[in-house]
Amino acid sequence: MNDLSKACIEEAKNSMQSAINFLNKELEKIRAGKANPGMLDGVKIDYYGTPTEISQVANINTPDPRSILIQPWEKTIIGAINKAILDANLGFTPRHEGDILRIVIPPLTEERRKELSKSAKSEVENSKVNIRNARRNVMDKVKKLKDKAVPEDEVKQVEKEIQDITDKFIGECDKIYAAKEKEIMTV
């Protein structure tokens, strides 16, 4: 197999792995009843005129599965953090306790669990689409290899290998969804 063929296969693997990485990151944001510092990812406060993530201005930890503790490095920004969390509409309200904010995660209702499961399924489907798009883009490049004096049987072999890689990554998406769904639906 020549270098162009190997490059196409590597590009397919890298693109598809990126889709899986993105899926994992998105599914971390979907809360499953357990406290997780990642629930606050993307929540920004106005820190001296600059939108800054809470994790950059405070310690965030989970002392138990039902609560998140936020301890700002500067006591003066506790109000801004509180407001940012409320404005983000994450489904919970921080409680001000002196120098810290405590967020108690309410238990999920059955209906909310089903909504979260649908949301996770949607993210998985988006990742599958991204994987298939990566396959299509690489397959277009592989078809052009014929013009670059790559033997036709090698092109067929590369196409088959890329399809096998695609199937593997699609299967991985399904496994990730199954695990997330189990996590969400477990009371």
Side-chain angles (χ1 to χ4, degrees):
M1 199 176 288
N2 73 23
D3 290 342
L4 293 173
S5 300
K6 289 177 184 173
C8 286
I9 290 170
E10 276 306 306
E11 181 181 342
K13 284 181 183 175
N14 291 339
S15 298
M16 293 176 192
Q17 187 59 52
S18 294
I20 293 290
N21 294 345
F22 184 77
L23 173 64
N24 284 326
K25 208 170 190 180
E26 289 301 303
L27 289 182
E28 280 179 10
K29 293 178 185 174
I30 297 176
R31 71 183 185 99
K34 292 183 190 140
N36 176 358
M39 296 167 129
L40 299 175
D41 285 353
V43 179
K44 297 184 183 213
I45 67 163
D46 183 34
Y47 187 64
Y48 296 108
T50 306
T52 309
E53 291 212 15
I54 293 175
S55 60
Q56 307 245 327
V57 295
N59 287 328
I60 303 172
N61 55 34
T62 53
D64 60 68
R66 290 272 174 227
S67 63
I68 299 175
L69 226 55
I70 304 167
Q71 186 171 18
W73 297 326
E74 291 180 33
K75 311 283 185 257
T76 57
I77 61 171
I78 204 159
I81 293 173
N82 191 19
K83 184 179 180 328
I85 292 170
L86 289 172
D87 290 347
N89 197 17
L90 299 173
F92 39 76
T93 306
R95 208 170 55 218
H96 191 267
E97 297 178 355
D99 297 346
I100 60 169
L101 286 175
R102 182 182 306 273
I103 300 172
V104 177
I105 308 299
L108 297 173
T109 63
E110 186 67 24
E111 183 179 316
R112 182 69 178 140
R113 288 178 192 281
K114 288 179 181 174
E115 286 175 22
L116 291 174
S117 182
K118 279 183 187 176
S119 178
K121 182 71 172 171
S122 171
E123 290 297 336
V124 169
E125 289 305 320
N126 288 341
S127 288
K128 287 181 178 181
V129 167
N130 289 337
I131 289 169
R132 290 183 192 113
N133 286 341
R135 177 192 61 198
R136 187 188 66 232
N137 293 339
V138 172
M139 288 293 208
D140 289 345
K141 290 180 181 178
V142 170
K143 285 179 176 56
K144 292 177 184 171
L145 290 178
K146 292 177 188 173
D147 301 337
K148 297 180 180 172
V150 175
E152 193 168 328
D153 60 334
E154 184 175 322
V155 170
K156 293 287 183 201
Q157 180 186 359
V158 170
E159 286 175 346
K160 182 187 179 315
E161 193 166 333
I162 289 172
Q163 184 59 49
D164 291 344
I165 292 168
T166 303
D167 294 342
K168 179 185 127 204
F169 279 101
I170 294 288
E172 193 171 333
C173 282
D174 291 333
K175 285 180 193 169
I176 290 169
Y177 173 68
K180 188 64 177 185
E181 183 181 37
K182 182 179 178 192
E183 180 185 333
I184 289 170
M185 298 312 269
T186 303
V187 178

